[in-house]
Amino acid sequence: MNHEEKKRYLKRYLAAKRKVRLLLDEIAELRDSQTSPMGLGDGMPRGNMKSDLSGYMVKLDKLLRELEAEQEVQMITYQEIRNALKNMEDNTEQEILIRRYTLGQSWEKIAVEMGYSYRHTTKKHGQALKNFEI
């Protein structure tokens, strides 16, 4: 497996994490729109002062099911990647890959956190990918 394939493999967790965050944002937006004064109806007079929440509940239920499925994918992906990273012999290389691909840190932040130069960090990343086995 080449470096690009290894990066794609490792990036799956952050992609799953973004999907979960997006679904959480959608759920929050749906809830906000339903509880805001504008979301409670279309402004037209009604004979009874009740609003129909069935459409809202169907949408919410669908999003919650999607969220649960995506959270499971995220958890499984994380565990799979983390287990593969635990098998690395060099702790520095392991830490760089963890920071980059499970924490989503920038090269600059990784360098600062680990006390290395930017150049050393990216060079060590290349070595880490070379030594990373799936």
Side-chain angles (χ1 to χ4, degrees):
M1 188 176 268
N2 66 35
H3 279 21
E4 289 307 313
E5 291 169 330
K6 289 179 182 180
K7 286 181 192 179
R8 264 195 306 279
Y9 174 83
L10 291 167
K11 288 178 180 179
R12 293 177 315 130
Y13 171 69
L14 290 176
K17 195 173 174 179
R18 280 191 305 276
K19 282 184 183 179
V20 167
R21 266 186 276 162
L22 182 61
L23 282 167
L24 287 169
D25 289 347
E26 286 183 61
I27 290 167
E29 180 67 28
L30 180 63
R31 285 181 172 153
D32 285 348
S33 70
Q34 191 61 37
T35 57
S36 73
M38 295 300 290
L40 293 176
D42 57 7
M44 299 301 291
R46 302 261 189 246
N48 59 16
M49 294 302 287
K50 296 180 183 176
S51 64
D52 182 12
L53 296 176
S54 62
Y56 162 75
M57 293 306 294
V58 168
K59 289 177 190 174
L60 181 60
D61 184 57
K62 182 180 179 225
L63 286 173
L64 290 172
R65 287 180 202 215
E66 279 184 54
L67 175 63
E68 188 177 311
E70 287 299 332
Q71 285 174 324
E72 187 171 343
V73 167
Q74 179 187 353
M75 181 186 67
I76 291 168
T77 303
Y78 175 79
Q79 289 173 340
E80 182 183 309
I81 290 170
R82 193 72 171 96
N83 286 337
L85 290 170
K86 280 198 287 191
N87 293 328
M88 294 186 72
E89 292 181 23
D90 187 310
N91 289 335
T92 301
E93 291 176 359
Q94 179 189 56
E95 184 178 350
I96 288 171
L97 294 181
I98 289 169
R99 288 180 179 280
R100 183 69 176 173
Y101 298 106
T102 62
L103 300 177
Q105 292 181 348
S106 68
W107 293 120
E108 294 82 3
K109 182 166 177 122
I110 295 169
V112 168
E113 294 283 327
M114 295 183 72
Y116 296 131
S117 70
Y118 178 91
R119 183 164 166 72
H120 179 77
T121 303
T122 57
K123 184 178 178 184
K124 198 73 170 162
H125 173 258
Q127 291 172 342
L129 286 176
K130 184 178 179 183
N131 296 328
F132 178 65
E133 298 291 329
I134 298 172

